[in-house]
Amino acid sequence: MDLTELRRRLGRPGFPPAAPPEGRGMADSDLLARLEAVRRRGQTAPMRREPALVDRLGGFELAPGVVEVVRRHALALRHGRVPLAWLAEIDGDRGGLLRWRGRLDPERLVFLDTETTGLAGGAGTVAFLIGVARLAAGTLQTRQWLLTAFSGEAALLDRLAVELGRDDVLVSFNGKSFDAPLINTRGRLLGRGEMLRGRAHIDLLHALRRGHARSLPDCRLKTAEGRLLGLDRGHDLPGDQAPAAWRDWLRDGYGARLNEVLAHNRADLLSTAALLAVLAGEGMPGPIFAAPS
Amino acid sequence: MDANLDRDADLFQPPGPPEGEAGASVERLVAALKRRNRDRIVAEWLQPERSARTAAFPAGLDARIVDALGRRGIQRLYSHQAEAAAHALAGRHVVVATPTASGKSLCYHLPVLQGLLADGTRALYLFPTKALAQDQVAELLALNAAANLGVRAMTFDGDTPADARRVVREQGDIVVSNPDMLHQGILPHHPKWARFFESLRYVVIDELHAYRGVFGSHMANVIRRLRRVCRFHGREPVFILSSATIANPGELAERLVGAPVAAVTESGAPQGRRTVLVWNPPLVNADLNLRASARSQTARVARVAVKAGLASIVFANSRLTVEVLAKYLKDVFDRDPRRPPRVAAYRGGYLPGERRDKERKLRAGKIDCVVTTSALELGVDIGALDVAVLNGYPGSIAATWQRLGRAGRRGKPSLGVLVASSELIDQFLARHPEHLFGVSPEHARIDPDQLLILMDHLRCAAFELPFRAGETFGPHGLEPLLGYLVEHGVLHREGEAWHWIADSYPANAVSLRAVADGNFTVIDVTGGGQDILGEVDYSAAPLTLYEGAIYLHQARPWQVERLDWTGRKAFVTRTRADYYTDAIDYTRLKVLDVFGEARGAAAACAHGEVHVVRRVAGYKKIRYYTHENVGYGPVNLPDQEMHTTAVWWTLDKAVLDAAFPSRQAALDGFLGAARALHHVAALLSMSEPRDLGRAVGDGAATWSAVLGGDGRGSLRTLEGASLEPDADARRFRPTLHLYDNYPGGIGLSAPLFAQRDALVGRARDLVEACPCLAGCPACVGPVLAPREGLGAKQAALVVLGLLAGRSSVASGQPGEGGHGPH
């Protein structure tokens, strides 16, 4: 009743008008008093602690509010049809699609992908999951930091800063326009400055456009995965459902879908890595794969 | 740009002797008008010449600024400039309210430049429109260039290209923008602007008086957000505001900024002698109190002025009138198509390029007469003019002076003429011109805590920075409001903080100016092309762009062929029609909730929440010059709906039945009373008539009353079918509503309810004192012919008398109704 009342009073044009309530109306001050009562009754639960979540995700609590999940992917594996071992063989930008001068040290590449609460950008968009991948000890290692509460964001950003060495090169898909500015914004808001400003960064979306804008129907990651990597993500959680999955966790403590979010983010990281291997090698003669018929 | 330089230099120089030519011809024109139109001029008012009061530059002013001013011919400041600069330099918020063209902008340029040159601090300039921002940058650049100050002033608005935005953010010393851009483009991205905010010292808000009503209430909340973001970045900027003359600049500034503000209201600038005439068109029918049309009188005064070689500006209150007046004047002065036009129309809805072009021509003196709406009331730089003619009272005393102030620069004599229309307020002012000259201008009012507006900005603020327990945002306790947003899933509470979690950008859903956004584009498809002709804002579209409407642009007619409502486009073709069109609309209203009620002897008054539906039912075709009605057309458009607040009156059923000989008479009485109450309410609440709406219906939206072409009321059902007043006697319970013409209400109806006795009393006095016989535009509305039985005016007096609590029984004799036992 109280919420109906408020919704009606705050309803915007276009909302169907609610039936008039019984009895007398009330002034704003009464309304606010009743609202306050609603608040007290429905006082939200204190910060959730769910040790079970950490275990279910197969990670550990890096700091209050942040879970870290580490996975190793053997280089003998293929992502789609691309052997991950190709990554270790990258030595430079053979076809010039990356616009990278000089040698590329595979050990210094850090693949980056974030999951965010929205695509709008601005101060109200949060990167609730930041994933990185790099070659380590003969594997491709992914490291993901998931916020389980807003209070963990500072620790997450600090951990990311530690992760990035001085000479590391970021590799992303559309990260120059989206992920990097967003992380810079979060850094500003948490008093850590523009963390990624001035860092070497290869954005594969630009390379893809340079090399394949005419041969592909569009330059989305999904299209590149199908056509260039021979990969079908199948039942993967669609990326646009990730924010809702995280909000479900925040609001109701329902974390069942967070595992899928992590898996989706890892798959994006592997695609980014495999795509770099393909695009860096495009100077080699002959097509790598025939386009699927 | 050169023209600009000259003008600015003139602005600050002590006045020379009035330039013989124009000065003498203004005097001659005044004398000639008075000689030939003695019966039409109902008041004359002389504003004497005033000489300059000057002061020295503030102590410690950077030598480079002193040098730049010197190069621009400025050796001393006007007293108000020095006073304002001193407040700002001492870190006090300050508002300057002095007349048009008194050199207000220097009041803020000085402290801003001082902060910049001495301490490297930055400034944000906000203007209500983009056009004004461009003018100010030009002026600042001129000062900058005069002494190589090295100041980087950059515009940041919707036209700033994406690749230039970063440069503005990082390098702009003075960022010039508008409230909408601050709201949607800057504050939500404040982390990107961190360097700017970290060194922000002054926020300049020009044209303060533009921020009243809904727009001002939004602006106050945008400023709350701005100050909140500044605090996050470690700054408490000083606000410097400038305003045209209003009654309460200090109060408005304080409401807007949310902190004490020093007010500087005494101008030290010189002023030429100004003559103001109030002009009432001659009576053409004394019985009906019908007067000649204001338009033809306005055109006539403007014609005489232009023929006398005086640069003139004509203000009209609607875009339609602008186009009609421009046509009348072009018919006189621009008959030869081979010569450049001497008359121009300028209004909202023209494309920016076309407006810039007109502004340039005006500054260069290439146009002799410009016809405009409030679009040129604000400080767009159009150079010096001699005569201002106002077609009708603009709705407020402040706007009247703002418009009159457009004429008269550099100490030259000037003339202002207010031509009264047949509207109620105009005729009231023609009878009581002392209201115009003696009374202080209106108070500009805002209600930043209107729940709907507050909630909009609370969303935006939460997006910008998480709210913390104990934080404030206006006087309301925040927790319940934040709790509501949590319930709606846009915020998440974690401990003592509320974080934004929705996947949306709330500022995009909030328009500071209008209810619904989405301007309509008018596309000329004559000859198969697709040329964009102009823009019409959402609220005006149903009244101007229905299929069949004549759309006037630069006084030339186009006809609307097709309206794409969802695509916000109107397709028009050139036409040679000799008529224009005027929409017929009516309003239905349903009471949802009663907040308070008061009972009188025979009547009840209440206020509360209502649901309003407005529908455009059709349109009239009106022939030029003769103004005869040459046809009707139907209109089929979606209804405009809103929830708002209203105050309403009803009569007890027994009293109603006893007081009127017929239901038709009762209906006429309610419609007439509604008209008088509407205008009196606008005066009492110091708002403009368009801020309020009125409707007569049954309060349950089963029927509403509309005024026919003959001035008599008729009933319409929900579907628009007409209904006999006597058809369903049980349901006939007419209710007179005045509603707040903004979704959610801007806070007008509660004070009107509190003042209900004064309201009804003043409306009754007004109708009673009107000299007409049976009703005229100056009281209950035009009635073409007195009918048998109770006339509309007498019926309205009965209604108002009963509402005032007097027991009044109509006799049914024309001329006697309403004068029952007092």
Side-chain angles (χ1 to χ4, degrees), chain A residues 242-263:
Chain A
W246 189 66
R247 275 194 289 270
D248 284 349
W249 156 253
L250 273 190
R251 230 178 271 160
D252 314 322
Y254 175 75
R257 289 201 295 166
L258 288 177
N259 248 329
E260 292 176 68
V261 174
L262 284 162

Side-chain angles (χ1 to χ4, degrees), chain B residues 178-260:
Chain B
N178 55 60
D180 314 82
M181 201 63 191
L182 177 63
H183 156 61
Q184 291 185 330
I186 297 178
L187 290 175
H189 285 288
H190 70 91
K192 283 186 181 168
W193 290 78
R195 289 184 202 187
F196 178 76
F197 283 118
E198 283 162 5
S199 53
L200 180 62
R201 176 138 163 209
Y202 292 110
V203 176
V204 170
I205 299 178
D206 204 343
E207 309 284 351
L208 168 70
H209 54 277
Y211 301 104
R212 12 173 246 277
V214 174
F215 186 35
S217 306
H218 274 296
M219 184 61 174
N221 280 287
V222 171
I223 290 172
R224 284 172 178 166
R225 285 161 53 200
L226 171 65
R227 295 184 72 197
R228 185 167 177 260
V229 161
C230 286
R231 276 194 290 276
F232 174 79
H233 293 282
R235 301 293 302 197
E236 280 283 357
V238 174
F239 284 76
I240 310 176
L241 309 99
S242 99
S243 171
T245 313
I246 51 174
N248 59 339
E251 185 196 0
L252 177 62
E254 291 188 351
R255 290 278 277 159
L256 213 58
V257 173

Side-chain angles (χ1 to χ4, degrees), chain B residues 773-819:
Chain B
L773 190 60
C776 74
C779 57
V780 298
V783 176
L784 286 191
R787 297 237 187 148
E788 288 176 27
L790 199 60
K793 183 180 180 185
Q794 284 68 34
L797 277 170
V798 174
V799 170
L800 289 167
L802 291 170
L803 293 181
R806 311 189 195 184
S807 57
S808 170
V809 179
S811 65
Q813 297 296 313
E816 288 183 20
H819 297 278

